[in-house]
Amino acid sequence: MRVFITGASGFVGGTGARSLVNAGNQVFAMSRSEASDAVIRDLGGEPVRCDLENVAAEHVGDAEIVLHSAAFVEDWGPKDAWYRYNVLGTQAMLNAAQVAGVRRFIHIGTEAAICHGQHVRDADETVPLAPDSPYPYCATKAQAEKLVRDANRDGAFETIVLRPRFIWGPGDTTLLPMVEAMAKSGKWMWINDGKAMTSTTHIANLDHAIHLALDKGRPGEAYFILDEGIISLKDMIGSMARARGVTLPDKSIASGLAEFVGLTSEGVWRMFNLNGSPPLTAHAAMVMSRDCTLNGSKAAADLGYQPVLSRAAGWAAL
């Protein structure tokens, strides 16, 4: 197959690009710089110079599949960044793919699309999206998912959404490096003792689901893609850190205090236009203090998905 990928220089898109090439597919990938060109070529793909603000059908070419994994996932940034990249960027990519005659559009979504600050427990895909979430990442990923699912035209232009939760594994450039840096600087602290329960998604399991979604799954639908079982944040993050020789301290603060610090910090940073990121954001405080457990039975039924790697094997590989 011919596959066009966004976000191929990142964690998810890069893993997908390499494995799709290894499976015999021809991969083209959005690239914004010479550095990204080099990364994409190293993965076995062909870079196409464009971005989410100027992408057009000629960039997509004769691709049969689009894998859209690019997104603004940061806790902090310019006020309009989440909307520009996650919503407008997704719409631009949909437009280009439709004009180019793409058969299937695979969108990497997230469980955050259903979060407005509540505990999420054993949720399935019938839980409504949260396009008005107070957290910009959650709101814009919900809005983007709605665009993708509304664009579906069975048999003509098919769209499908994969929703991982807490993506981890080799190649992670965000979560584990951040944990290690905070631990080494003495700044790591749990919220509510890390007792919140979570589902997780190893990158190998998400990559497996991407391959399944090339021709399986019901068009217009969303699917949670998960590791087996659930685990506390303390056990999960602590095991990841120990795999890298890092022991995290037991220091903890209550969720109410964490959310106050997050909101206050954000307000100060915006008011005074300070450089860098606040020490804690409201979104991070919410994520670290809320249960988020999900039900993956729909993916098993429609995609034939089952995890290919256990958490224990994943920790060992770190």
Side-chain angles (χ1 to χ4, degrees):
M1 291 184 186
R2 295 179 300 279
V3 185
F4 183 91
I5 300 180
T6 71
S9 58
F11 184 26
V12 175
T15 300
R18 188 183 295 281
S19 69
L20 287 166
V21 167
N22 290 342
N25 298 285
Q26 189 174 6
V27 169
F28 307 88
M30 176 179 287
S31 177
R32 298 184 297 167
S33 66
E34 290 184 7
S36 292
D37 289 352
V39 170
I40 291 164
R41 290 194 181 101
D42 185 60
L43 295 169
E46 180 179 331
V48 179
R49 190 58 65 85
C50 58
D51 60 37
L52 289 176
E53 294 183 293
N54 66 21
V55 65
E58 54 264 33
H59 298 122
V60 179
D62 60 354
E64 303 162 77
I65 304 288
V66 164
L67 172 60
H68 179 43
S69 67
F72 190 79
V73 301
E74 307 299 330
D75 267 353
W76 188 248
K79 280 187 175 181
D80 66 342
W82 294 274
Y83 185 75
R84 281 175 56 207
Y85 293 108
N86 297 347
V87 181
L88 298 183
T90 296
Q91 184 63 71
M93 198 63 241
L94 284 166
N95 293 344
Q98 287 172 297
V99 174
V102 165
R103 175 175 63 82
R104 177 166 278 209
F105 188 103
I106 303 170
H107 178 70
I108 303 300
T110 168
E111 93 297 332
I114 64 170
C115 294
H116 49 77
Q118 81 281 28
H119 286 288
V120 174
R121 294 173 176 137
D122 196 31
D124 63 17
E125 293 83 352
T126 63
V127 175
L129 292 170
D132 297 321
S133 174
Y135 307 100
Y137 176 67
C138 301
T140 55
K141 287 299 284 185
Q143 293 162 27
E145 178 173 319
K146 185 175 188 306
L147 290 173
V148 171
R149 295 175 69 180
D150 286 350
N152 179 68
R153 301 291 181 270
D154 286 11
F157 180 69
E158 298 180 347
T159 67
I160 188 169
V161 178
L162 304 180
R163 293 182 186 164
R165 155 70 180 176
F166 193 121
I167 307 172
W168 66 288
D172 172 18
T173 57
T174 305
L175 178 61
L176 189 52
M178 177 271 293
V179 171
E180 289 182 287
M182 291 184 71
K184 289 175 181 177
S185 67
K187 295 179 181 178
W188 178 263
M189 191 173 293
W190 300 100
I191 299 176
N192 289 349
D193 296 311
K195 292 178 180 178
M197 300 300 294
T198 187
S199 297
T200 61
T201 309
H202 191 277
I203 186 64
N205 292 329
L206 176 56
D207 185 56
H208 174 52
I210 289 170
H211 283 258
L212 293 172
L214 294 175
D215 52 26
K216 292 182 173 65
R218 286 180 286 155
E221 295 292 326
Y223 295 93
F224 287 125
I225 305 299
L226 311 170
D227 299 335
E228 80 289 351
I230 62 175
I231 188 171
S232 72
L233 285 173
K234 189 165 191 178
D235 287 344
M236 182 64 200
I237 297 173
S239 295
M240 291 168 60
R242 284 191 293 275
R244 298 293 292 269
V246 176
T247 300
L248 298 177
D250 288 328
K251 293 184 295 184
S252 179
I253 59 172
S255 58
L257 177 58
E259 290 169 33
F260 174 78
V261 171
L263 286 169
T264 302
S265 297
E266 288 189 6
V268 169
W269 254 249
R270 292 287 185 214
M271 181 180 297
F272 296 103
N273 197 27
L274 299 179
N275 293 326
S277 302
L280 182 67
T281 64
H283 180 258
M286 182 272 290
V287 169
M288 290 293 289
S289 62
R290 304 294 197 276
D291 290 343
C292 188
T293 63
L294 307 164
N295 186 321
S297 59
K298 183 178 174 183
D302 290 2
L303 291 169
Y305 168 83
Q306 292 294 331
V308 295
L309 195 72
S310 68
R311 285 199 192 92
W315 291 328
L318 289 177

